[in-house]
Amino acid sequence: MSKKKLSVCVYCGSRDGRDPRYKRDAATLGSGIAKAGWRLVYGAGDVGLMGTVARAAQSEGGETFGVIPAHLRAWEVGKEDLTSFIVTETMHERKKVMFMNCDAVVVMPGGAGSLDELFEVLTWRQLGLHDKPIILLNINGYWDKLMALLDHVVAEGFANQEIVDFIDVVASPAAVIDLLAATGTA
């Protein structure tokens, strides 16, 4: 029986952020996905952490699947040298195509777009629409306050504990790769 090729969706910033470790870990994650023989699914930008993760995957010979809405091609510098480069009409289509073409989601540090993507897949999981792993790459505690907020949401009775339990929080790209390899998703 052949092993399924895992497709890993990475949500991350279109900026590098202040901490140099964000960019370094984006490169390590992209390389790790490719070295594992998996496909990177991401937002098709060539800027910020998005560009870093994709270039790292490409440098290791990895398959890359990028999805970008037409209105962001110039702003996010659409990376057209990917294995697959999809242009959508809207952000909603972008998120749907990315999610439908992945087996797991990894969320690196990012801004409002990354939060939007995280909360959409988390809500879908809560509603029973999927059971794909959702992993936060918590570089230098970047997501600690978000996880505290989710604990607060649960404590205040607006969600069950499962909303927190659906998220695996790890501190390094190596831990992401190990977790995905161990999930049986691959």
Side-chain angles (χ1 to χ4, degrees):
M1 183 185 313
S2 66
K3 199 173 189 182
K4 179 183 177 199
K5 181 175 187 165
L6 186 68
S7 288
V8 181
C9 181
V10 176
Y11 297 136
C12 57
S14 60
R15 299 180 182 191
D16 289 333
R18 291 188 179 163
D19 187 337
R21 186 167 166 202
Y22 301 145
K23 187 171 184 174
R24 189 170 55 245
D25 281 2
T28 303
L29 180 62
S31 294
I33 289 169
K35 287 177 182 175
W38 302 333
R39 177 176 73 162
L40 170 67
V41 176
Y42 87 114
D46 199 16
V47 294
L49 300 183
M50 281 197 298
T52 299
V53 74
R55 287 187 301 275
Q58 287 177 311
S59 73
E60 295 294 336
E63 185 178 345
T64 52
F65 184 97
V67 185
I68 194 165
H71 72 278
L72 286 182
R73 283 181 82 175
W75 189 2
E76 291 184 350
V77 190
K79 188 163 178 39
E80 298 187 25
D81 65 340
L82 303 169
T83 310
S84 297
F85 181 77
I86 309 289
V87 179
T88 62
E89 290 185 28
T90 68
M91 290 292 286
H92 294 292
E93 288 175 353
R94 175 198 217 180
K95 293 186 295 181
K96 179 183 176 184
V97 171
M98 288 171 66
F99 185 74
M100 296 305 292
N101 283 281
C102 78
D103 303 300
V105 172
V106 177
V107 186
M108 292 192 63
S114 299
L115 287 167
D116 173 55
E117 292 161 333
L118 166 64
F119 277 105
E120 186 164 62
V121 298
L122 183 59
T123 301
W124 291 345
R125 177 95 188 252
Q126 180 184 21
L127 295 172
L129 300 176
H130 75 89
D131 63 354
K132 297 175 184 183
I134 302 169
I135 303 169
L136 288 184
L137 179 46
N138 194 26
I139 301 166
N140 287 346
Y142 184 83
W143 294 116
D144 289 350
K145 291 180 181 179
L146 175 71
M147 293 309 295
L149 173 62
L150 289 176
D151 287 335
H152 176 69
V153 168
V154 171
E156 291 297 315
F158 289 102
N160 295 330
Q161 180 62 35
E162 68 185 9
I163 200 81
V164 174
D165 297 341
F166 287 145
I167 301 171
D168 290 299
V169 182
V170 300
S172 71
V176 169
I177 301 300
D178 290 346
L179 182 61
L180 288 172
T183 64
T185 304

